[in-house]
Amino acid sequence: MSNATVNVYLDKQEYGKDRVRLLKVHRDSKVHRVDDLTIRCLLSGASFTTSYTEASNKAVVATDSIKNTCYVLAKSSKVVDTLELFAAELANHFLNTYAWVEGAHVSIIRHRWARMVIDGKPHTHSFWRDGDETRQTEIFIKRGANGRRTIDLKSAIAGLLVLKTTGSSFEDFVRDEYTTLGEAKDRILSTCVDSNWEFNIPPVQTDSLLQTMSQIPFNQIYDSVRDVTCKIFAEDESASVQATLYKMAAQSIQNWKWLDRVAYALPNRHFFAVDLSYFRGTKNLAEHADVYQPLSDPSGLITATVARAPGGARL
């Protein structure tokens, strides 16, 4: 082993509080609403270098203080129900409060609670968890020159489990000595959708950041991307997961001028017809199949990002 000194430096850093759990109850009418959130807030900047290299905590905002900030702002905020705006409010707060913070990176996950229907009527204040699907957002706001802020923002759907029993095929793929999979003219198609979309937001002045961002209909965009995903999944005569994925992403970019890129990760959840010929010649393959065996692993995984062409129109 060499005794020579190796020069190193701190290349990048972030620190903060992760997995801050928060439930906001909206009681602004007799019909209550809830937002069940998991939050991560991370801070960065050159002033934090000495906390790593010289064991100095002079610039460190305690992660417990970061956690407390999430609760304090949630109490006063009017935008907790719009994840992108609440994330921006949190990030901008850290930049405005601590002059040495150069960047604030906030991620929020919203967990599902669906309103109960009792005796045929939506209940005013009772909910149930109707699945593991989550809505997510991630924002990085960086301090710029002359009081301006640069904003990198993406939002996401995660864990949307879908299945259809026909309208999907997989044929004309490469066949060689490694191939055992038969071609399928009609098959069950199922996947657990993870999708994210990136927003185009120009740099803005810090005092107009939230006002500028509030012009973007974030909740409508989320609902629309989810609806497009489900509609195209259901109605497309799918030749492959790849082809269906592309249609989903392209449609959402077409629908919303603020979106620059839409990405999907679609694992193939396989359902194979069970060969029942051993039992009195029972037919359960091809067009006779109606009993299937789910197979979770191994699974195919199809991913892609579709982007707006440079100079493309924003309708």
Side-chain angles (χ1 to χ4, degrees):
M1 181 180 293
S2 172
N3 292 324
T5 300
V6 177
N7 292 324
V8 299
Y9 67 97
L10 184 67
D11 186 29
K12 58 183 178 180
Q13 61 78 216
E14 284 186 317
Y15 86 98
K17 205 68 163 182
D18 194 13
R19 299 189 61 79
V20 179
R21 297 288 289 116
L22 185 158
L23 179 72
K24 172 80 171 188
V25 181
H26 304 272
R27 297 189 176 96
D28 47 346
S29 74
K30 291 183 179 180
V31 180
H32 296 175
R33 297 174 294 116
V34 295
D35 286 301
D36 184 354
L37 309 180
T38 299
I39 303 172
R40 171 191 288 175
C41 297
L42 303 176
L43 309 181
S44 57
S47 294
F48 297 119
T49 299
T50 55
S51 68
Y52 295 86
T53 61
E54 300 176 21
S56 171
N57 294 327
K58 296 295 185 183
V60 173
V61 181
T63 65
D64 191 64
S65 302
I66 295 172
K67 174 206 69 179
N68 293 340
T69 300
C70 295
Y71 295 126
V72 171
L73 265 64
K75 179 66 177 178
S76 60
S77 177
K78 305 299 183 184
V79 294
V80 176
D81 59 351
T82 303
L83 296 192
E84 294 84 355
L85 294 180
F86 185 48
E89 190 173 47
L90 282 166
N92 208 37
H93 166 86
F94 291 116
L95 292 170
N96 289 340
T97 303
Y98 307 105
W100 59 93
V101 173
E102 297 175 16
H105 189 177
V106 176
S107 303
I108 304 179
I109 300 170
R110 183 161 73 190
H111 308 278
R112 290 180 67 85
W113 286 108
R115 191 174 301 280
M116 287 186 182
V117 177
I118 307 298
D119 295 331
K121 298 179 180 179
H123 200 270
T124 59
H125 58 266
S126 296
F127 306 85
W128 67 290
R129 175 66 50 83
D130 64 342
D132 295 327
E133 174 194 346
T134 58
R135 175 178 174 177
Q136 304 183 10
T137 198
E138 180 180 358
I139 193 168
F140 181 63
I141 301 182
K142 189 174 181 180
R143 192 184 303 278
N146 301 317
R148 296 177 73 78
R149 301 282 192 259
T150 60
I151 303 167
D152 292 324
L153 174 64
K154 67 170 61 175
S155 292
I157 298 168
L160 173 60
L161 185 59
V162 294
L163 177 149
K164 68 178 182 179
T165 56
T166 190
S168 173
S169 62
F170 188 56
E171 302 175 285
D172 197 30
F173 52 87
V174 173
R175 306 200 69 85
D176 59 20
E177 66 269 31
Y178 302 104
T179 306
T180 59
L181 182 69
E183 296 196 348
K185 293 184 179 298
D186 191 41
R187 62 175 182 167
I188 290 176
L189 179 60
S190 180
T191 187
C192 191
V193 176
D194 288 343
S195 177
N196 67 73
W197 47 98
E198 299 178 19
F199 292 89
N200 183 313
I201 304 176
V204 297
Q205 292 295 131
T206 181
D207 56 2
S208 61
L209 187 147
L210 291 177
Q211 181 181 1
T212 300
M213 288 186 62
S214 67
Q215 304 305 308
I216 302 174
F218 292 110
N219 291 339
Q220 288 178 251
I221 291 172
Y222 174 83
D223 290 340
S224 172
V225 173
R226 189 179 187 277
D227 289 347
V228 163
T229 298
C230 292
K231 180 177 175 63
I232 291 179
F233 176 85
E235 296 181 351
D236 185 39
E237 290 294 326
S238 177
S240 67
V241 176
Q242 288 90 330
T244 300
L245 180 161
Y246 186 83
K247 293 175 184 178
M248 293 172 177
Q251 185 63 60
S252 287
I253 292 175
Q254 178 74 24
N255 288 350
W256 297 101
K257 65 182 180 180
W258 293 279
L259 302 189
D260 270 356
R261 301 161 69 86
V262 177
Y264 280 89
L266 302 179
N268 232 334
R269 300 174 70 93
H270 298 293
F271 293 80
F272 292 111
V274 180
D275 185 355
L276 297 177
S277 60
Y278 66 88
F279 186 74
R280 301 174 184 175
T282 301
K283 296 180 179 180
N284 191 59
L285 298 177
E287 70 273 14
H288 303 289
D290 60 6
V291 175
Y292 298 84
Q293 179 185 24
L295 184 65
S296 58
D297 299 307
S299 67
L301 177 61
I302 292 84
T303 69
T305 300
V306 178
R308 187 183 300 274
R314 296 181 182 273
L315 302 180

